[in-house]
Amino acid sequence: MNRKKFIESQGATCLNWTWSWSFINKKDKVIIFGAWDKETNGNTTVILDKKWEYNPIGRKNKAYTQSLEHIRLIEEKGYSLKTFKIIYSDEKKDVNNNGPAVIKDFIPELNTMTLIKKGTKWYALNDRISYFLPEEVENPTQYFEGACRKVTVNTYERNFEARKKCISHYGLKCIVCSFDFQKVYGSLGDGYIHVHHLKPLSEIGKEYKLDPIKDLRPVCPNCHAMIHRRQSDLSIDDLKSHLKKTKNT
Ligand SMILES: [Zn+2]
Ligand SMILES: [Zn+2]
């Protein structure tokens, strides 16, 4: 299957099949980006960079304008973001690194991703793989999980080493409701849990050093979403007693 056939089989299209970087399915409100292997770091891929606006000879990339509009639809119009892997080749580049990037191969499989903007770059983050973000994403950020639920996360909640320490101390059960992914989903749920950071980000100064045991708690995604539901976060105890109250009514 070629790339065009694959994209069309997903109900999506673009302005031009040669130069487009991203594709749109208006009916299902989906935007599809190719995710270069060389732009991927862990579960995060740079899908668009302001630096890509102009090509090396100073001409504006039409693909960039189109992709920017696609990003806007995700940010403002509730479109979801999906990516498929593309394999990079520099066979058309000369010694000075000029020339087009060539797609050597691609994997005809879509992954649902979360869009994150940081500096000049837009990232696609795959929540399902792990909770690791590259160092570039150092600031707290808001992102959309699915199309409708807004969750605030911060880097501490996605720091892989800190997460490991928190889990080895508290275990993998939700500290609020005791939900145990492995118990309910078997091997599929093994090792899965969110990690919540207790300190409000506004209270964190420059000197702050994360203590995974003091500052982090394992929570299931439902409880995690409820903690961050309001403008100011609920405490673990608040949510626990809230849950108790609603259960008894
Ligand atoms: Zn829970
Ligand atoms: Zn949290």
Side-chain angles (χ1 to χ4, degrees):
M1 197 182 342
N2 68 28
R3 194 172 59 124
K4 177 170 187 258
K5 285 240 162 63
F6 166 61
I7 299 292
E8 284 178 336
S9 76
Q10 302 298 324
T13 188
C14 59
L15 294 174
N16 178 296
W17 289 105
T18 308
W19 50 250
S20 288
W21 298 334
S22 52
F23 311 89
I24 182 167
N25 175 339
K26 276 193 185 151
K27 193 173 137 273
D28 301 328
K29 293 180 95 177
V30 176
I31 297 295
I32 300 171
F33 267 83
W36 290 105
D37 52 348
K38 75 179 187 93
E39 298 291 344
T40 301
N41 179 357
N43 60 353
T44 307
T45 305
V46 179
I47 53 168
L48 194 65
D49 190 331
K50 282 207 175 113
K51 289 179 194 138
W52 303 349
E53 188 169 1
Y54 294 94
N55 67 19
I57 55 163
R59 294 237 325 256
K60 191 156 181 154
N61 279 314
K62 286 182 220 155
Y64 180 85
T65 310
Q66 176 180 233
S67 290
L68 207 58
E69 170 60 12
H70 287 163
I71 294 272
R72 193 189 66 83
L73 291 171
I74 299 167
E75 286 174 338
E76 294 174 14
K77 301 287 171 197
Y79 278 63
S80 60
L81 170 64
K82 295 189 181 197
T83 61
F84 63 102
K85 289 197 182 104
I86 46 181
I87 319 289
Y88 175 80
S89 157
D90 59 7
E91 63 194 34
K92 292 245 173 92
K93 297 250 186 225
D94 62 22
V95 283
N96 297 318
N97 205 32
N98 290 323
V102 174
I103 298 174
K104 202 164 136 201
D105 202 1
F106 74 98
I107 297 166
E109 191 184 279
L110 290 183
N111 300 299
T112 302
M113 308 294 265
T114 299
L115 180 69
I116 291 179
K117 169 99 199 287
K118 166 79 187 162
T120 65
K121 295 172 183 174
W122 287 267
Y123 296 85
L125 164 77
N126 189 340
D127 290 299
R128 278 147 232 239
I129 295 178
S130 75
Y131 284 84
F132 175 74
L133 275 187
E135 269 77 43
E136 298 105 280
V137 188
E138 70 221 347
N139 286 330
T141 176
Q142 288 217 311
Y143 75 100
F144 290 89
E145 232 176 352
C148 49
R149 200 163 48 116
K150 200 180 192 180
V151 178
T152 311
V153 289
N154 63 57
T155 315
Y156 305 114
E157 293 183 349
R158 294 183 172 270
N159 178 308
F160 188 68
E161 282 306 314
R163 171 189 155 78
K164 268 204 322 217
K165 282 190 188 133
C166 166
I167 288 167
S168 65
H169 185 82
Y170 292 103
L172 282 158
K173 271 193 217 163
C174 174
I175 205 141
V176 179
C177 74
S178 301
F179 192 90
D180 183 335
F181 277 87
Q182 212 221 313
K183 219 166 153 189
V184 176
Y185 294 101
S187 60
L188 182 64
D190 194 17
Y192 189 86
I193 196 78
H194 278 195
V195 160
H196 171 60
H197 183 241
L198 299 176
K199 281 227 167 90
L201 291 162
S202 53
E203 284 176 21
I204 292 175
K206 270 201 176 129
E207 301 292 293
Y208 174 71
K209 198 170 175 303
L210 176 74
D211 180 335
I213 294 165
K214 236 173 78 194
D215 301 336
L216 298 177
R217 295 292 183 277
V219 289
C220 74
N222 281 348
C223 290
H224 200 193
M226 291 305 110
I227 286 171
H228 290 296
R229 187 84 204 279
R230 303 250 185 268
Q231 194 59 38
S232 60
D233 296 350
L234 284 177
S235 73
I236 301 276
D237 285 339
D238 283 347
L239 186 59
K240 264 185 176 167
S241 54
H242 181 86
L243 204 58
K244 228 179 185 170
K245 255 194 281 174
T246 52
K247 258 184 193 156
N248 293 336
T249 50

